Amino acid sequence: MKPASIPAAARWSLQGRVLHWVMAALLVGLVALGLTMTRLHADLGTTFALYQAHKSYGLVALVLVAWRIVWRLRTSPPPPQAMRRAEWLMSRLVHVLFYGAMAALPLTGWLMASASPLRLPTRPFGLFTMPDLVAPDAGLFMVLRSIHMALAYGLVALLVLHVAGALKHRLIDRDDTLGRMGF
Ligand code: HEM
Ligand code: HEM
């Protein structure tokens, strides 16, 4: 069934769908930018600009995930599709872990930028300076960097499972799961 022909009550609210797709694009872009900027070995000016962009859009993700958590706690999901219990549990687990990763990634990023011994200010889009959450500390920076990196790889692993699930519903079960998040 095309998303447009799915009754509104069977879909996530417009707010939920917009948040889902805006954040999906933002998160994939941030992972790509993070991996690129740390491996590019470009000149200092370019590297600085890429890091600033990563930190700025990363903080947008922090605002959006806070908004999305509030929305999610106040919303009732559309009635579930018929599926096996194990499958339902698996999808719930992936969603909960997604929320954990979506919140922890920008928080560890902000903590890491604060702990950096380089002491570079975090200025989202050059507008204002973010307060540092901890004092500069090279050891702490390295720990947070490893956690931030592991979370990013975890997010990608969850995305692979999530997309595989969506495709299974579409191609094998041929049900409306994809349409629940569609426009
Ligand atoms: C959901 C949001 C975010 C995602 C998905 C994300 C993802 C990533 C990824 C994939 C890397 C590369 C890791 C590696 O392989 O070395 C990275 C590095 C980095 N991120 Fe983020 N990030 C996010 C938010 C933030 C925020 C909010 C900040 C700071 C305010 C930040 C600061 C950094 C810094 C400073 C590095 C470079 C660390 C180094 O020098 O090795 N990130 N991020
Ligand atoms: C990093 C990217 C993504 C994240 C973090 C993400 C996260 C989520 C979360 C947490 C939910 C549960 C609804 C909620 O509580 O907000 C959800 C639902 C959904 N997602 Fe994603 N998603 C991503 C990308 C995708 C992609 C690429 C697809 C399509 C191939 C997709 C298809 C869906 C569908 C169809 C649902 C509805 C499932 C249902 O109602 O049972 N998502 N997603």
Side-chain angles (χ1 to χ4, degrees), residues 8-19:
R11 285 196 273 167
W12 289 89
S13 66
L14 182 63
Q15 184 180 181
R17 284 177 282 143
V18 170
L19 277 170

Side-chain angles (χ1 to χ4, degrees), residues 16-180:
R17 284 177 282 143
V18 170
L19 277 170
H20 175 272
W21 289 112
V22 169
M23 285 200 74
L26 183 62
L27 293 168
V28 170
L30 279 165
V31 170
L33 180 55
L35 293 176
T36 309
M37 73 187 193
T38 47
R39 286 158 181 78
L40 197 59
H41 305 298
D43 61 273
L44 217 55
T46 309
T47 306
F48 182 75
L50 292 176
Y51 271 62
Q52 289 307 316
H54 181 81
K55 293 198 284 182
S56 298
Y57 285 100
L59 289 167
V60 172
L62 181 61
V63 173
L64 290 181
V65 74
W67 175 2
R68 187 163 170 186
I69 288 171
V70 172
W71 160 77
R72 188 64 185 81
L73 291 174
R74 292 160 59 113
T75 203
S76 325
Q81 297 274 345
M83 64 176 95
R84 282 195 302 273
R85 188 162 167 77
E87 212 176 324
W88 181 83
L89 278 174
M90 179 71 177
S91 76
R92 292 295 297 149
L93 180 66
V94 168
H95 294 167
V96 169
L97 291 176
F98 256 148
Y99 272 99
M102 284 192 285
L105 264 159
L107 285 175
T108 50
W110 185 6
L111 278 164
M112 173 178 34
S114 308
S116 167
L118 292 178
R119 290 168 172 267
L120 292 173
T122 299
R123 291 182 49 76
F125 305 102
L127 294 174
F128 57 92
T129 305
M130 291 293 287
D132 284 333
L133 298 173
V134 289
D137 177 334
L140 180 63
F141 171 78
M142 293 308 283
V143 172
L144 289 165
R145 186 179 170 217
S146 305
I147 298 175
H148 192 68
M149 203 192 296
L151 284 166
Y153 287 124
L155 184 85
V156 173
L158 289 173
L159 183 58
V160 170
L161 287 174
H162 188 62
V163 171
L167 289 178
K168 184 211 172 244
H169 281 287
R170 182 70 170 189
L171 303 174
I172 299 174
D173 304 335
R174 292 179 182 273
D175 64 23
D176 293 335
T177 303
L178 207 51
R180 286 153 65 86

